[in-house]
Amino acid sequence: MHINPERSTRPDYDLLVRQVVSVLEGERDLTANAAQFSALVYDTLADLNWAGFYLTVPSKKGEGQDLLVGPFQGKPACARIPFGRGVCGTTAVERKTIVVPDVHAFPGHIACDSASNAEIVLPVIKDGKLVGVFDIDSPVLNRFTEEDRVGLEAMVQAFVEATDC
């Protein structure tokens, strides 16, 4: 069961991993679990203005892949992002978490929301396949720490283990 603590810039990630497992228990559907996961993150981490998934899909141009917006919390977002473009597209290509203290200094940053100043994007990988990325934006510069990276990676791993992707 999800217990709604006060939003925090230093959350108890061990507790949040247990909450991911609890909230997703008994359901394996990607869309349902991605929606629940996005809501949990958005509801428990302070100073966020967007949290959600971009899922891997074939490119509209006929070759390669794009990221298509999936379940999220926050304002409307960019719908499609090519692999290699912006923080999300770079994360998709590199398959590693990227923490950006100031998005305005990131080459090729895509400004879906002009209020966003910091970002963390985590790859979602299952059985060696990139399912997509989990993107979190904040209006606060330098919002995301190493502790956030490690904790959010553990949460994403719990999501992957609980979900048929």
Side-chain angles (χ1 to χ4, degrees), residues 23-98:
V23 166
L24 303 184
E25 185 176 12
E27 182 55 65
R28 303 219 36 105
D29 181 78
L30 174 61
T31 302
N33 285 358
Q36 294 282 59
F37 186 85
S38 298
L40 177 67
V41 170
Y42 194 77
D43 192 46
T44 55
L45 273 65
D47 300 327
L48 304 184
N49 59 329
W50 204 88
F53 289 87
Y54 279 94
L55 303 173
T56 303
V57 297
S59 173
K60 284 178 115 177
K61 295 179 181 175
E63 60 182 64
Q65 296 177 304
D66 288 341
L67 295 167
L68 185 64
V69 70
F72 71 91
Q73 299 283 308
K75 293 180 181 181
C78 300
R80 187 177 289 262
I81 299 172
F83 270 39
R85 186 156 178 248
V87 183
C88 290
T90 302
T91 297
V93 169
E94 294 183 4
R95 292 181 168 220
K96 68 176 188 175
T97 300
I98 298 178

Side-chain angles (χ1 to χ4, degrees), residues 34 71 81 95 111 116 147 152 154:
I81 299 172
R95 292 181 168 220
S116 294
E147 181 181 358
L152 288 163

Side-chain angles (χ1 to χ4, degrees), residues 37 53-54 91-92 95-98 120-125 130 132-136 148-156:
F37 186 85
F53 289 87
Y54 279 94
T91 297
R95 292 181 168 220
K96 68 176 188 175
T97 300
I98 298 178
I120 183 170
V121 182
L122 305 100
V124 179
I125 300 170
L130 182 75
V133 300
F134 188 70
D135 179 24
I136 308 173
D148 291 315
R149 182 191 64 77
V150 170
L152 288 163
E153 286 177 346
M155 290 177 69
V156 167

Side-chain angles (χ1 to χ4, degrees), residues 97-110:
T97 300
I98 298 178
V99 178
V100 182
D102 179 355
V103 297
H104 309 290
F106 188 89
H109 173 255
I110 302 168

